[in-house]
Amino acid sequence: MTAYDKVMAARDANKPTSVDYISNMFGDSFIELHGDRRFADDKAIVAGVAMLYNMPVTIIGIEKGRNTKERMERNFGQAHPEGYRKALRLMKQAEKFHRPVLCFVDTSGAYPGIGAEERGQGQAIAENLMEMMTLKTPILTILIGEGGSGGALALAVADEVWMMENSVYSVISPEGCASILWKDSTKAPQAADALKLTAQDLFNLGVIERIIKQPQSSNDMAIFESLKLLISRTLEKNSALDTEELLSARYERFRKIGRVD
């Protein structure tokens, strides 16, 4: 598959969404929580608490929806500032009760509308970046589709970041990049190659820690169970670290990205 083929696969409406991952791995133990306590409940962000085997965890996922009706309701996975504030509220709650945080990311980017800007979209994202860097509980983020710009990064300041094999992670879409560089969005495949946005590219660059086998459907229970076990082991490992060691490792993870030895 070319880089742009991976972009198309990441956007596939038939692939499992955050709700599918939560349902298949956590079932009835998941209790959804709502609202940012300031403005509204953003349905692009699905968040709550669940049991990971015997471990309570906080789960935050960006949900695109599948069909047109669901996608309209979820704003196509483009979160408003209240969505990011809801996520941060639950992360701070997780810190208070010493629960690890698990994030699922699938978004083309944060919502760029006037209302979102008026309500502080940039500030909401910036606050998430700042608070997650020093959150005193383990954080694991998995990109399950698109990882677009600050909208994805706002849930990806984590101890480890994993990607599904057909997901992408980039500061800009290939179409947007091509439009800026060449004034021609049809050169998106060329831009996708240059952006190094595939899971393998980012693993090679040290931006992510692990590439995960992609579930082909929401019924692929063997892969979901394998992923659940891997998540459990990782969060248990990071939970065993003392707070200073955890935060130091998280800080160093981001400091070393782009470093040339």
Side-chain angles (χ1 to χ4, degrees):
M1 294 175 72
T2 67
Y4 198 62
D5 289 336
K6 292 288 181 78
V7 173
M8 292 295 101
R11 295 171 178 170
D12 184 4
N14 294 316
K15 74 180 191 313
T17 67
S18 291
V19 167
D20 293 320
Y21 282 87
I22 294 169
S23 175
N24 281 297
M25 290 195 290
F26 302 98
D28 293 338
S29 77
F30 178 70
I31 300 172
E32 187 174 357
L33 302 175
H34 300 274
D36 68 339
R37 301 298 186 266
R38 293 196 199 179
F39 183 76
D41 181 45
D42 188 347
K43 293 186 178 180
I45 301 280
V46 177
V49 294
M51 293 300 296
L52 177 61
Y53 300 117
N54 295 320
M55 178 192 297
V57 294
T58 290
I59 304 171
I60 302 166
I62 303 178
E63 174 65 24
K64 283 185 174 181
R66 281 257 178 82
N67 54 47
T68 302
K69 181 180 178 182
E70 287 181 3
R71 291 197 162 203
M72 291 288 287
E73 184 180 16
R74 303 287 187 180
N75 202 38
F76 297 84
Q78 294 183 310
H80 292 76
E82 49 269 22
Y84 293 113
R85 289 178 182 129
K86 172 169 67 172
L88 181 58
R89 179 176 74 83
L90 293 189
M91 283 189 269
K92 296 299 287 185
Q93 182 191 81
E95 179 183 55
K96 178 180 179 179
F97 293 105
H98 308 291
R99 289 193 299 262
V101 176
L102 173 63
C103 299
F104 294 107
V105 172
D106 184 15
T107 181
S108 58
Y111 185 60
I114 293 175
E117 295 298 333
E118 289 174 340
R119 296 195 299 277
Q121 184 72 286
Q123 182 182 12
I125 291 172
E127 286 177 349
N128 276 30
L129 305 184
M130 179 177 69
E131 294 288 348
M132 289 181 77
M133 184 58 74
T134 57
L135 198 75
K136 298 179 179 67
T137 197
I139 311 170
L140 172 62
T141 294
I142 306 175
L143 284 99
I144 61 171
E146 284 188 282
S149 193
L153 188 60
L155 294 182
V157 180
D159 305 306
E160 294 187 29
V161 176
W162 302 350
M163 290 177 69
M164 293 293 153
E165 58 188 343
N166 292 332
S167 61
V168 294
Y169 192 21
S170 175
V171 69
I172 192 171
S173 70
E175 293 84 2
C177 178
S179 295
I180 292 171
L181 293 182
W182 299 295
K183 312 299 182 188
D184 183 0
S185 63
T186 64
K187 291 188 176 181
Q190 184 178 340
D193 288 331
L195 284 168
K196 303 299 181 187
L197 45 60
T198 69
Q200 191 61 59
D201 288 330
L202 293 164
F203 181 80
N204 293 340
L205 291 168
V207 175
I208 66 167
E209 280 71 32
R210 190 183 292 270
I211 301 172
I212 305 295
K213 183 176 175 61
Q214 190 97 22
Q216 297 305 306
S217 74
S218 58
N219 297 319
D220 205 342
M221 292 307 300
I223 292 181
F224 285 116
E225 189 58 39
S226 175
L227 177 59
K228 181 179 178 179
L229 183 60
L230 191 58
I231 291 169
S232 176
R233 289 173 176 170
T234 300
L235 293 180
E236 284 180 357
K237 176 195 70 176
N238 290 334
S239 294
L241 301 174
D242 65 56
T243 301
E244 185 176 342
E245 190 177 4
L246 178 73
L247 296 184
S248 177
R250 188 183 304 158
Y251 179 78
E252 179 56 27
R253 177 190 183 276
F254 286 92
R255 290 290 292 175
K256 74 181 181 182
I257 293 174
R259 183 184 296 165
V260 179
D261 297 321

